Amino acid sequence: MRSRRPCPAPVPRSAFAGFRFPPDVIVVAVRWYLRFGLSYRDLEELLAERGVEVDHVSVYRWVQRFTPLLADAARPCRHAVGDRWFVDETYVKVAGQWRYVYRAIDQFGQVIDVFVSPRRDVRAARRLFERAIGRTKIRPVEVVTDRAATYPVVLDELLPAAWHRTEQYANNRVEADHGRLKARLRPMRGLKRDRSARVIIAGHAFVQNVRRGHYELAAEEPVNRRVAIAFAELAVAI
């Protein structure tokens, strides 16, 4: 009886398979969009100057498709977050409607998590904390917020042992960090869809963390090269 040869293990299919442009072009467009205050049409023009003729709609699709994949690939390399959390919400306009962006950072400046909600309420605040705790496996010993009535309810439920601070100016760290997000969103002149808002806001936080050295990705490289090198490494992984 003839013995059967074992089948070779299947090779994982690259996330870039089926795309017309090579991975390095796609990744640089996604990186530029998340890092700099550029519109999709700006990127179309910049790529054309480099001999790459691509429509701005394709760049939009690349950002929506590859931003979550790159962030997920980097997750095992992420540093553990601190045990002092600064939490606050800001707002953005999506399709003409206001959306609240809940953001949490730690004492080292790492963006812990972000959550986009149509409402500013207990449910939204709870969702931010549940996601942040679930993803990081960290339960903070101190949480700094403003005096919104939603936070004591959520913290009593999820983190009853944490010290909740609400004094004036204590939350300046995260409030100042909102400005970096707003600066990135300003050239967009309003987001059009909730899903794209979630992807872009989370992607901005991811790039911000990479640039600040909160991942074991190009951490020893100069700040002005760190994101480019990290994205090139991650492109191979997906």
Side-chain angles (χ1 to χ4, degrees), residues 82-209:
D83 58 2
R84 294 177 60 214
W85 292 9
F86 300 79
V87 180
D88 191 36
E89 67 281 346
T90 184
Y91 49 88
V92 298
K93 189 165 280 190
V94 180
Q97 302 293 321
W98 289 112
R99 295 289 185 266
Y100 293 94
V101 183
Y102 285 79
R103 303 176 74 243
I105 68 172
D106 68 9
Q107 69 266 39
F108 307 112
Q110 180 175 180
V111 182
I112 300 166
D113 206 349
V114 297
F115 179 66
V116 182
S117 170
R119 296 179 180 83
R120 185 188 186 196
D121 56 14
V122 170
R123 182 178 179 181
R126 182 188 296 114
R127 182 61 175 149
L128 172 76
F129 279 99
E130 287 176 340
R131 284 185 10 158
I133 294 168
R135 289 177 175 179
T136 66
K137 311 305 179 187
I138 298 293
R139 301 181 72 84
V141 298
E142 178 183 329
V143 179
V144 183
T145 73
D146 59 20
R147 296 181 180 178
T150 56
Y151 291 118
V153 176
V154 174
L155 293 175
D156 286 347
E157 176 186 342
L158 299 179
L159 297 166
W163 178 26
H164 183 202
R165 294 177 56 198
T166 60
E167 60 263 32
Q168 191 176 18
Y169 308 125
N171 221 15
N172 282 1
R173 181 188 293 266
V174 66
E175 289 174 358
D177 203 72
H178 291 332
R180 295 177 176 85
L181 174 63
K182 290 294 188 72
R184 174 61 201 92
L185 297 179
R186 198 169 295 121
M188 300 179 189
R189 299 180 183 178
L191 297 155
K192 302 298 186 292
R193 297 180 180 178
D194 284 331
R195 182 185 182 278
S196 64
R198 291 193 295 269
V199 168
I200 292 164
I201 291 169
H204 174 269
F206 166 56
V207 168
Q208 198 169 321
N209 283 342

Side-chain angles (χ1 to χ4, degrees), residues 23-39:
D24 57 335
V25 171
I26 295 173
V27 169
V28 78
V30 174
R31 173 168 60 83
W32 283 352
Y33 185 78
L34 296 174
R35 171 67 184 90
F36 302 109
L38 300 168
S39 68

Side-chain angles (χ1 to χ4, degrees), residues 77 79 209-227 229-230 233:
C77 305
H79 293 173
N209 283 342
V210 171
R211 190 166 183 268
R212 291 173 176 174
H214 296 304
Y215 285 84
E216 290 299 323
L217 290 167
E220 303 301 321
E221 299 292 337
V223 174
N224 61 356
R225 291 283 298 148
R226 192 172 290 160
V227 177
I229 294 171
E233 293 177 7

